[in-house]
Amino acid sequence: MILVGCAGWSLPRELQEAFGPGDSHLARYATRFPVAEINSSFHRPHKPFVYERWAAAVPTGFRFSAKLPKAITHERRLVDCEPLLDAFLAECAHLGDRLACLLVQLPPSLAFDAGTAAPFLTLLRARFGGALALEPRHATWFEDAPDALLRELRIARVLADPVRHPPGARPGGWPGRIYLRLHGSPRMYYSAYAPEVLAALAARLRLAQAEGAEVWCIFDNTASGAAAGDALALLRFLEERR
């Protein structure tokens, strides 16, 4: 399974005709894409009715990935945050079966420390049985010990572009799931990807699928509206290869 989508569901005006009808941007977005990443949960909590409204706007089988709050990852830095985690899980549980994945993005300054990482990730896995993806950004997370911990807990290590550290050019952690976050290059959050890059990406995703992995590919180059266009182009390349 290859799931292609965006961080958020904003639809640039010039692309809106590529989407089906709907009562909201999210409903229209869901006519073309099977997954969306909720980044706003990183910055602020959402009321249960907001999650319920989002769940009602998408069809059966649509999947959300929700990003853990920065209060957990960047402020508490994974320490003594069980009440915060429980509060977040209670909120996003109102997505119902549309909630398929949780994304944990770590600050660049947070080095791997087994005494901190293992208890937090074990707690998170015990609380949530769905897909988990971790986006570390410190070089120490790309070594053997953290990779073994992620495999044990069935957590995918995000392959993020641009790549910060050479080992990050390959997915890691649990091999049953590959989670890509494409932030735009050379200018993060703004640059669109060239067609030849997307064509090569489609071939790579098909290979991962053939090897038995579930693939999530999220475009986060949303600042200039490039994400939706890149995601649509990738879908076209995937269809051609099929």
Side-chain angles (χ1 to χ4, degrees), residues 60-138:
T60 300
F62 188 93
R63 303 179 182 198
F64 286 102
S65 174
K67 191 173 180 180
L68 261 66
K70 65 180 178 181
I72 294 173
T73 56
H74 288 54
E75 296 170 12
R76 295 289 182 89
R77 297 169 72 87
L78 312 184
V79 177
D80 296 332
C81 50
E82 184 172 352
L84 291 172
L85 178 61
D86 287 343
F88 169 69
L89 292 175
E91 292 162 2
C92 64
H94 288 267
L95 288 169
D97 60 7
R98 269 65 164 179
L99 177 61
C101 182
L102 296 179
L103 170 67
V104 184
Q105 185 190 62
L106 302 181
S109 62
L110 186 59
F112 174 73
D113 175 71
T116 298
F120 173 78
L121 294 176
T122 299
L123 174 68
L124 178 61
R125 173 45 79 202
R127 294 287 200 275
F128 185 72
L132 293 175
L134 177 79
E135 183 180 0
R137 293 185 283 178
H138 192 279

Side-chain angles (χ1 to χ4, degrees), residues 6-58:
C6 303
W9 40 85
S10 177
L11 303 180
R13 181 172 299 177
E14 65 272 17
L15 292 177
Q16 290 190 12
E17 291 185 359
F19 295 85
D23 295 332
S24 65
H25 271 239
L26 175 56
R28 298 193 66 195
Y29 170 99
T31 65
R32 295 298 306 273
F33 298 126
V35 64
E37 195 177 85
I38 300 172
N39 270 212
S40 55
S41 55
F42 174 79
H43 299 284
R44 62 188 182 279
H46 295 301
K47 298 291 186 182
F49 77 86
V50 174
Y51 285 114
E52 290 169 0
R53 185 177 71 230
W54 290 341
V58 297

Side-chain angles (χ1 to χ4, degrees), residues 98-235:
R98 269 65 164 179
L99 177 61
C101 182
L102 296 179
L103 170 67
V104 184
Q105 185 190 62
L106 302 181
S109 62
L110 186 59
F112 174 73
D113 175 71
T116 298
F120 173 78
L121 294 176
T122 299
L123 174 68
L124 178 61
R125 173 45 79 202
R127 294 287 200 275
F128 185 72
L132 293 175
L134 177 79
E135 183 180 0
R137 293 185 283 178
H138 192 279
T140 55
W141 281 88
F142 298 88
E143 298 173 358
D144 291 342
D147 215 49
L149 174 64
L150 296 179
R151 287 197 303 271
E152 178 185 348
L153 295 173
R154 295 169 65 89
I155 300 174
R157 191 189 73 220
V158 171
L159 194 168
D161 181 74
V163 173
R164 290 173 176 263
H165 309 287
R170 301 178 300 277
W174 185 57
R177 182 170 298 106
I178 294 174
Y179 198 110
L180 292 90
R181 300 191 78 227
L182 307 178
H183 301 297
S185 181
R187 188 183 181 194
M188 285 185 67
Y189 308 119
Y190 286 87
S191 295
Y193 288 94
E196 57 269 23
V197 172
L198 297 175
L201 176 61
R204 187 173 181 181
L205 298 187
R206 282 288 178 210
L207 179 61
Q209 182 190 42
E211 293 172 347
E214 178 183 272
V215 181
W216 293 60
C217 184
I218 301 295
F219 287 91
D220 190 30
N221 49 345
T222 54
S224 64
D230 281 350
L232 289 171
L234 179 60
L235 288 180

